[in-house]
């Protein structure tokens, strides 16, 4: 079910629109809340408007005071009038409008039935009812109603549609540039991420990785991004592509602006709490890394684990496909940091060794064709690029990677120091 929330300053026009549907026998009133009743149960626009007058007269300064909400189940859902009434009441309660006057209209003007709810977003004292985190609260309310009434989950349908747009690239099939472009050009419009570490984790789901490059070229400081295709094992499978080949949205300035825009948004609070709860549940009920990943995948969350050459975890990132947020474990708190998972999973391996039942743990990267989304690949492989190629391609610009995870940063610094020592030899 999809909810659409609209606001305007024209209550009379909104009521007239829904009344016209009834006059055309394409709509009816299913329910009312705190609406003045009539003798025959029939209403004119003027009669309906009277119930809202005290709220509008008390209105202090809210310009768009009229609330017009539509709840749209999947066309395959068979919803009775009684279910629509319950859904409308529960949705309004969850959104904080349960004590407001409102009218529930059922529309049958298209091939699927749906309902419209008309109300006002100022209370009797004229104060605006908070719309903070409205979209997130609305999505959560819809998911709960879908579950309660056995409706088709809208997120499942949206996920399938998204897969038609974003597909993991296949370096064997050719035309790699076009495959990469179809992903890189549009990802920032769909997902929120705040660092190159989070951006890279997201790209890895589509067999792509990016490296930040900066250095001095002919006396001038140069900065840019290189995008690499990856094979099924998360290894670079071809030559890099400059960001300029994919348009402005793929350039370093645009990506960094996206980081800043995402940081300025306050909608992460509820998302973080829900995500932390799901991670904690999966963590406590999973014996190893693979079981943990599978539990979260069932909730629409992909997990990207970054390890050094010794197999130690130095970073972990979670990609929530429902809220379209990418979050490093360090941003979720100590309970979701890389060390927590490293300690637990390494302890489990140790127990298997001590019990003489050791089996080599499954690799972090799999290629299960039955999964709906591509599994994450290992990232930030900071082993040196082919120096001859790098120098000819960049004319001296040196690649570097950037992330917010402290352990990840320290690891990258160690590798850069090793690279400088190798040059001196």
């Amino acid at each position: 079910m999809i909810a659409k929330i609209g606001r305007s300053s024209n209550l009379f026009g909104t009521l007239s629109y829904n009344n016209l549907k009834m006059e055309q026998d394409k709509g009816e009133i299913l329910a009312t809340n705190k609406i003045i009743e009539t003798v025959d149960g029939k209403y004119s626009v003027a009669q309906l408007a009277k119930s809202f007058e005290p709220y509008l007269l008390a209105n202090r300064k809210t310009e768009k005071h009229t609330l017009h909400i539509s709840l749209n189940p999947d066309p395959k859902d068979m919803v009775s009038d009684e279910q629509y009434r319950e859904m409308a009441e529960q949705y309004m309660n969850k959104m904080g409008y349960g004590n407001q006057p409102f009218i529930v209209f059922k529309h049958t003007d298209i091939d699927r039935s749906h309902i419209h709810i008309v109300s006002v977003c100022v209370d009797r004292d004229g104060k605006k009812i908070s719309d903070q985190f409205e979209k997130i609260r609305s999505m959560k309310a819809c998911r709960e109603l879908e579950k309660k009434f056995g409706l088709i989950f809208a997120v499942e349908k949206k996920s399938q549609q998204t897969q038609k747009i974003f597909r993991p690239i296949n370096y064997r099939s050719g035309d790699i540039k076009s495959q990469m472009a179809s992903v890189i050009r549009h990802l920032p419009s769909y997902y929120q991420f705040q660092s190159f570490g989070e951006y890279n984790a997201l790209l890895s789901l589509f067999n792509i990785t990016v490296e930040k490059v900066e250095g001095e070229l002919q006396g001038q400081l140069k900065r840019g991004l290189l995008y690499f295709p990856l094979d099924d094992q998360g290894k670079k499978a071809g030559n890099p592509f400059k960001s300029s080949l994919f348009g402005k949205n793929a350039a370093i300035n645009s990506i960094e602006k996206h980081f800043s825009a995402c940081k300025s948004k306050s909608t992460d609070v509820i998302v973080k709490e829900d995500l932390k709860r799901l991670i904690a549940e999966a963590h406590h009920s999973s014996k190893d890394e693979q079981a943990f990943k599978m539990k979260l995948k069932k909730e629409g969350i992909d997990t990207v684990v970054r390890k050094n050459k010794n197999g130690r975890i130095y970073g972990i990132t979670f990609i929530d496909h429902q809220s379209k947020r990418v979050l490093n474990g360090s941003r979720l708190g100590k309970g979701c940091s890389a060390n927590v998972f490293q300690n637990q999973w390494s302890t489990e391996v140790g127990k298997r060794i001590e019990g003489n039942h050791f089996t080599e743990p499954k690799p972090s990267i799999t290629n299960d064709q039955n999964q709906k989304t591509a599994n994450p690949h290992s990232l930030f492989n900071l082993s040196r690029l082919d120096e001859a190629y790098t120098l000819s391609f960049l004319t001296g610009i040196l690649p570097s990677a950037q992330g917010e995870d402290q352990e990840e940063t320290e690891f990258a610094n160690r590798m850069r120091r090793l690279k400088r020592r190798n040059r001196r030899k």
Side-chain angles (χ1 to χ4, degrees), residues 38-87:
T38 60
V39 176
D40 58 1
K42 296 181 179 180
Y43 296 89
S44 65
V45 172
Q47 288 170 325
L48 292 172
K50 284 183 179 179
S51 299
F52 299 98
E53 285 180 359
Y55 297 79
L56 299 183
L57 290 173
N59 180 27
R60 299 177 185 178
K61 56 181 179 180
T62 304
E63 293 183 2
K64 294 185 178 181
H65 45 66
T66 299
L67 199 65
H68 193 189
I69 301 169
S70 66
L71 299 182
N72 305 270
D74 189 275
K76 296 179 182 178
D77 286 323
M78 303 299 293
V79 184
S80 66
D81 289 350
E82 184 58 33
Q83 287 176 321
Y84 271 136
R85 294 186 186 98
E86 291 182 36
M87 287 163 55

Side-chain angles (χ1 to χ4, degrees), residues 6 53 83 107 114 117 136-137 213 220 230 246 261 285 327:
E53 285 180 359
Q83 287 176 321
H107 287 193
H114 57 287
I117 307 172
I136 295 176
R137 290 189 288 118
V213 293
Q220 293 184 344
L230 301 176
F246 304 117
S285 60
L327 295 107

Side-chain angles (χ1 to χ4, degrees), residues 143-197:
R143 302 298 81 79
E144 292 174 0
L145 292 174
E146 287 167 346
K147 187 175 181 180
K148 180 173 181 178
F149 292 96
L151 306 179
I152 295 173
F153 275 53
V155 289
E156 292 181 353
K157 185 176 181 181
K158 188 174 182 180
S159 176
Q160 293 171 2
Q161 292 174 343
T162 302
Q163 285 289 24
K164 295 178 182 178
I165 301 173
F166 301 123
R167 294 177 181 173
I169 70 165
N170 183 350
Y171 74 97
R172 295 188 183 91
S173 64
D175 199 12
I176 296 177
K177 177 187 169 185
S178 296
Q179 291 187 63
M180 294 174 68
S182 66
V183 175
I184 295 169
R185 287 174 179 169
H186 305 291
L187 273 184
S189 300
Y190 286 81
Y191 286 85
Q192 293 190 24
F193 40 85
Q194 298 185 13
S195 70
F196 279 105

Side-chain angles (χ1 to χ4, degrees), residues 7 9 40 78 89 92 99 117 124 133 147 172 195 200 202 207 225 231 242 261 271 277 320 331 350 356 358 388:
R7 285 182 169 79
S9 57
D40 58 1
M78 303 299 293
E89 180 181 358
M92 294 296 278
N99 292 323
I117 307 172
R124 291 190 69 92
F133 310 126
K147 187 175 181 180
R172 295 188 183 91
S195 70
N200 237 329
L202 179 61
N207 297 342
L225 296 178
D231 62 19
K242 293 181 180 180
V271 172
R277 175 181 56 81
D320 185 351
R331 282 215 286 137
N356 293 323
F358 175 79

